[in-house]
Amino acid sequence: MTPPFVLLVVAKAPVAGLAKTRLCPPATPVQAAEIAAAALLDTLDAVCAVPGALPVVAMTGDLGAAARPVEIGMALRHVTTIPQRGPDFGARLANAHADAAAVHTGLPILQIGMDTPQVTPELLAAAAAPVRHGGHDSVLGPAVDGGWWALGLAEPRHAQVLADVPMSREDTGIRTLRALVAGGLRPSGAPRLSDVDTMADARAVAAGCPGGRFARAVTAVGGQAVA
């Protein structure tokens, strides 16, 4: 029997003017929120299709003011939703691991965000495998921008090191790796993926997953076709 694990998604409500503001211009705030909503929905589709995964979404923001609120609400019915808490992003990540572990005690966790809508169930299962099957104590999936897109922990308590790591920087990935190693862990690797921060990122990612909501939302901005 395939051992279960927690698949934790850290997400922000896609509210116009607050979500994906670096896409503006050429996107309008409304279009940027639509892109963010599409990214979240495509991510949740992949997450919910991973065999043995117990999906948990750590959410912040006002879903009532978000783009595609009905569709997102329907998708969240299939997951456990917990609120984010903490004064900064590093603390919120650490607390999300702790809170997810409180919901599903004793299970390893693979945590991702909503900025990699190109993920597939197969990719997520493979990323989780090192901690899921007992071969490794941790996994870190690097991002092209110097951050990371996935963190797997056999023991979620080790996520507390994230509270002291500066986030959203070009050296966040290496700092996270060093923090994990300093905590006694030996992280396995996962494929490098591109986060969606700029419109160039969005178009490149959309070209790699042309059949989803995300690609359609990016194409709607215009200016350059998605290949």
Side-chain angles (χ1 to χ4, degrees), residues 65-174:
R68 305 196 189 190
V70 174
E71 195 174 354
I72 292 173
M74 293 291 290
L76 292 177
R77 292 183 180 181
H78 302 287
V79 308
T80 299
T81 304
I82 58 177
Q84 291 183 29
R85 58 185 181 87
D88 56 45
F89 192 41
R92 293 200 301 274
L93 289 176
N95 290 334
H97 279 260
D99 294 343
V103 174
H104 297 293
T105 306
L107 295 180
I109 293 177
L110 179 72
Q111 178 245 309
I112 65 171
M114 55 182 278
D115 292 340
T116 51
Q118 70 270 46
V119 294
T120 63
E122 294 77 17
L123 175 60
L124 294 174
V131 295
R132 186 180 189 183
H133 299 290
H136 292 268
D137 52 32
S138 53
V139 173
L140 190 65
V144 172
D145 63 3
W148 50 269
W149 69 271
L151 173 64
L153 294 170
E155 297 186 18
R157 62 185 175 85
H158 289 295
Q160 286 304 313
V161 302
L162 298 175
D164 298 320
V165 176
M167 297 292 163
S168 302
R169 292 172 32 151
E170 292 182 354
D171 60 352
T172 291
I174 189 63

Side-chain angles (χ1 to χ4, degrees), residues 36-46 67-68 71-73 75 114 213:
L40 174 58
L41 288 164
D42 282 356
T43 298
L44 292 178
D45 278 353
R68 305 196 189 190
E71 195 174 354
I72 292 173
M114 55 182 278
R213 302 177 190 83

Side-chain angles (χ1 to χ4, degrees), residues 15-17 19-35 199 220-221:
V15 178
K20 290 295 168 197
T21 55
R22 290 176 61 187
L23 301 182
C24 308
T28 66
V30 170
Q31 288 173 326
E34 286 287 330
I35 290 171
M199 187 54 70
V221 174

